[in-house]
Amino acid sequence: MSIFQALLLGFFGWLMNSHALLGHWGFQIFRRPLIAGMICGLVMGDVTKGIMVGAVLQAMYIGTMNVGGIASMPPIDISQWFAIPLALLQGGDAEVAIALAVPFSFLAQMLQVLLMNVNQIILHKADDLIAKGKLKQAYWTHFAVPTALNLVINMSIITILCLIGSAAIDVIVSAVPASIMGILGVFTKIIPLLGFAILLNSLLKNNSQLIFFVLGFALLKVVGLNVITITIIGGAIAYVIFMIQGKAGENA
Amino acid sequence: MTQLQNLSKDKHFLRKTMWSFLFGSGVCFTMERMMGPGMVNMMIASAKELYPDDPEKQIELCQNHCVFFNTQPTVGIIVPGIVLGLEMERAKTDEIPNELIQSVKTALAGPFAGIGDSLIQGLLIPILLSIAISLSDGGSVIGVLFLIGAYFLICYPLTWSLFKTGVQMGINGAEQIISSGIKDRFISAVEILGILVVGAVTASTANVTTGLSFTFGELEINVQALFDKVYPGLLTMAALGGTLWLIRKKKVTPLKIMGLFLILSTIGYFTGILA
């Protein structure tokens, strides 16, 4: 594989995952293995084989969903961009692509956790910019900084792994200290509490309203209802409160 | 003020704000605020039109939305639309409190995320993918072209019209609330709805568990299982209560809380207290 090809693959691997093409809306479709297969095939000179490999990968990942930032299966969004080309170099066997893409996806998941936490720093930097009134700068900070970071990281990973090949992957996976990822893993689990606490703080008028928070929490965790049902129940409760207030107002 | 009325029909303004949201919602994704930055970017994009001569109000507008927000981008786009409509009314009449907008936003984001995830991620996209895979048989490019084309043809009109509908709903809803004099009752009722939904979304997203377990001779006690028997999610609730107390009573800044969480994560990981 030529360096130019590896660079192209790194670039497209970044682009399709970057939200730069039609934002979060476009991301839903551009990250899919079928499209990655076609582009990898184009770069490697064998579109037909590329699409065929992409189709097999796509079938494996047809049902994956991303709910609340957590994917149901470790994502091959990045790893497919070197797995498919390397498989094409070895004859276009889909099994080879799977064997390369899936193990690395666990590393990719850890990378995502890392990047999400770096985004926290960017986020609070943007908050400061907003407080100072630099709205346009905050706007571009939100978008450009994570995108640039992703460019450097994703493009490097894809390009280098395309050039070095599969042997490097095992070395990388074993080199990451488990403790760092473990700590970040725990951190990622508890940091939503900060977001929810901030949101709750802005919604609460007085502390007695917390009982409704507990109710909503219990309905989901203990009773096991889903969010839509809970919102409907909440709507009914809100309506009752609304009516009671009306009656109280009339009698006053 | 007719300027604001014309804004809701201004295609250029609507497109600008919608795409500001879509470009900002996934790219700076964190577990703390998820798609929050998208909402902020949409407000930044509309700040000049909503408060043309008041930079402080512009800042306040954006800061109000630096909170947690999560929904599904294709269908849930209606929620930013509604929020934009409400903010437009707020700019016009200043009668709509921020708490109402946050409550409505929170209350609607959850259900639309559920609807969007089931409809788009769970149904539409897998169907399109299946058709595309079978069309790609033998390596044909038609599958890929179909995938991109179908998504655009189906979802772009959907997303665009949902956004516009949302803006109109926000404006009309707000006007109705203000004009019929039921504003205060409505606001306090919706706030309660918002708090309830936050409770539910917290339960589904955050999960604080402990990995501790003790052995007393023959008896092995798993602390998390014990907590779950008493009340599922007890630890998560307690942790949220603690964080809320820090923010409300002790006025600790979010950045300091993040640092605290990092220290707790390190200790928790090595001692097994936090799994």
Side-chain angles (χ1 to χ4, degrees), chain A residues 6-17:
Chain A
L7 281 174
L8 262 186
L9 288 165
F11 174 74
F12 278 111
W14 163 76
L15 189 65
M16 295 296 149
N17 283 303

Side-chain angles (χ1 to χ4, degrees), chain B residues 7 27 34-35 38 64 67 88 94 96 104 126-127 130-131 137 140 148 156 174 221-222 232-233 242 250 252 274:
Chain B
L7 257 189
V27 68
M34 298 207 184
M35 292 165 72
N64 280 340
V67 289
M88 283 164 74
D94 202 26
I96 307 201
V104 171
I127 291 177
S130 318
I131 301 176
D137 201 27
S140 161
I148 301 180
Y156 186 71
I221 298 182
N222 185 310
K250 293 286 185 174
V252 183
L274 286 174

Side-chain angles (χ1 to χ4, degrees), chain B residues 51-68:
Chain B
Y51 297 106
D53 307 305
D54 199 340
E56 270 173 29
K57 272 263 155 62
Q58 288 178 10
I59 296 178
E60 190 194 323
L61 170 71
C62 300
Q63 282 181 322
N64 280 340
H65 287 276
C66 287
V67 289
F68 179 94

Side-chain angles (χ1 to χ4, degrees), chain A residues 108-119:
Chain A
Q109 208 169 26
M110 296 199 278
L111 197 64
Q112 258 181 0
V113 170
L114 197 72
L115 286 175
M116 265 205 292
N117 289 305
V118 172
N119 281 344

Side-chain angles (χ1 to χ4, degrees), chain A residues 75-145:
Chain A
I76 56 166
D77 295 359
I78 304 296
S79 50
Q80 66 192 348
W81 289 94
F82 57 78
I84 300 179
L86 289 174
L88 287 175
L89 273 182
Q90 294 182 24
D93 209 2
E95 279 79 48
V96 176
I98 296 174
L100 288 172
V102 177
F104 190 82
S105 66
F106 292 97
L107 194 64
Q109 208 169 26
M110 296 199 278
L111 197 64
Q112 258 181 0
V113 170
L114 197 72
L115 286 175
M116 265 205 292
N117 289 305
V118 172
N119 281 344
Q120 296 269 156
I121 305 174
I122 301 172
L123 194 68
H124 286 271
K125 190 85 222 300
D127 282 353
D128 291 335
L129 284 173
I130 292 177
K132 290 198 201 117
K134 305 207 177 117
L135 297 181
K136 255 238 138 76
Q137 277 189 27
Y139 184 95
W140 286 107
T141 306
H142 277 146
F143 183 76
V145 181

